[in-house]
Amino acid sequence: EGVRAVMSAHIVVPGIGDAPATINPSVMTGLLRGRLGFDGLAISDGLDMRGISGGRGIVSAAVLALRAGCDALCVGGGPTGPEALDEIVEALVAGVDGSRLAEAAGRVDALAAWRAARISDGPDHPRKSGAEMPVGRDHPGIGLVAARRALRVFGDVQVRDHAVVMRFDSAPSIAAGDMPWGMAAALARRGVEVSEGAELPGASLVLVVRDLHRHAGERSKVEALLERRPDAVVVEMGVPLCRPRGATSYLVTNGAARVCADAAAEVMRP
């Protein structure tokens, strides 16, 4: 049925302007809509990535992206609270023409309607059970639902009332830059008394890694700890290509966003 949605890239296209494609009207409207004739949904790549927010900030990037032709905005690892989203919404209302906002909202609605007509009608689907997918900024919504489904759990990953969380460094990519990630805050929200740093008697030990396959030195440190603490829980928040030796309690989130940590914390602290 053809392409229904595309995602922009925060790259500069030589010959079509000096701005990243996401905020370049010549790319998102002139090329995509005009020359290529695409009339589906255009969604931005993550606006908190350094490639777009560096030097201009997320709020400004959001306004520029809508003006350029993006219809939906991806905002992930950086701002996570409702206040940050409120600031973006206020800036969009003040800085983007109403007809452009209506056009973008119409494309979002059109894609949602197309998808709704094609989703499964199985017995576990909300339409069959009578349940509805909760929405709204004060509800976890679809992001947390997806994060729960993405979890992969091996062994006993539950933690006690007190946990020591050790996060092992992962080099940020040049595109995304340094993003907040980890398990300490999510476990604390579940009522766990969290310490970061040295091991403590009687406390669970949680080792948090991301893309461990890329960091041989960190892998060695993790495996050395597991030799001494085989009960430690290892949480991989990146690409799970390297399960460390001795990791019998192993949890894969397949992502490092806040909802990924929250979904993992639910399993670790029911």
Side-chain angles (χ1 to χ4, degrees):
E1 296 184 31
V3 177
R4 296 278 174 171
V6 298
M7 175 174 277
S8 70
H10 306 326
I11 58 174
V12 175
V13 181
I16 318 183
D18 297 328
T22 300
I23 58 173
N24 187 342
S26 296
V27 175
M28 298 306 301
T29 298
L31 176 60
L32 183 64
R33 306 290 187 193
R35 290 178 57 187
L36 299 180
F38 179 71
D39 195 37
L41 181 78
I43 182 171
S44 76
D45 203 349
L47 295 182
D48 38 355
M49 297 171 68
R50 185 174 62 183
I52 195 71
S53 63
R56 62 176 58 88
I58 296 172
V59 174
S60 177
V63 171
L64 293 172
L66 258 293
R67 288 177 178 172
C70 290
D71 304 306
L73 304 178
C74 179
V75 182
T80 54
E83 298 80 8
L85 296 180
D86 286 344
E87 186 179 2
I88 293 173
V89 170
E90 290 173 3
L92 293 177
V93 171
V96 181
D97 184 78
S99 61
R100 169 81 269 268
L101 292 175
E103 179 185 50
R107 290 200 180 105
V108 172
D109 289 343
L111 183 65
W114 175 84
R115 175 58 180 158
R118 287 157 179 79
I119 54 179
S120 170
D121 286 325
D124 295 330
H125 190 271
R127 290 192 306 184
K128 287 286 185 177
S129 66
E132 295 183 359
M133 177 64 70
V135 295
R137 76 175 195 185
D138 295 325
H139 193 280
I142 192 64
L144 184 55
V145 172
R148 288 167 178 159
R149 292 178 180 176
L151 287 178
R152 297 295 179 268
V153 180
F154 305 88
D156 181 9
V157 298
Q158 293 190 18
V159 299
R160 296 186 284 273
D161 293 341
H162 191 177
V164 174
V165 178
M166 296 184 180
R167 199 193 80 169
F168 292 80
D169 289 336
S170 175
S173 72
I174 59 173
D178 191 16
M179 295 287 185
W181 65 283
M183 286 300 307
L187 287 172
R189 287 192 289 271
R190 298 292 293 180
V192 179
E193 184 181 350
V194 174
S195 300
E196 297 182 77
E199 298 175 62
L200 295 173
S204 297
L205 180 60
V206 179
L207 310 178
V208 187
V209 300
R210 186 172 66 172
D211 298 335
L212 193 59
H213 64 285
R214 297 172 52 212
H215 307 283
E218 301 299 274
R219 176 182 177 181
S220 297
K221 294 176 185 176
V222 169
E223 291 181 344
L225 280 167
L226 288 170
E227 287 183 5
R228 189 172 69 254
R229 288 288 304 270
D231 62 319
V233 178
V234 178
V235 181
E236 170 63 79
M237 303 192 77
V239 180
L241 294 180
C242 175
R243 180 171 175 173
R245 185 177 60 252
T248 56
S249 300
Y250 185 60
L251 194 155
V252 174
T253 63
N254 288 294
R258 173 173 171 164
V259 287
C260 300
D262 285 340
E266 291 177 345
V267 174
M268 298 168 72
R269 181 73 170 186

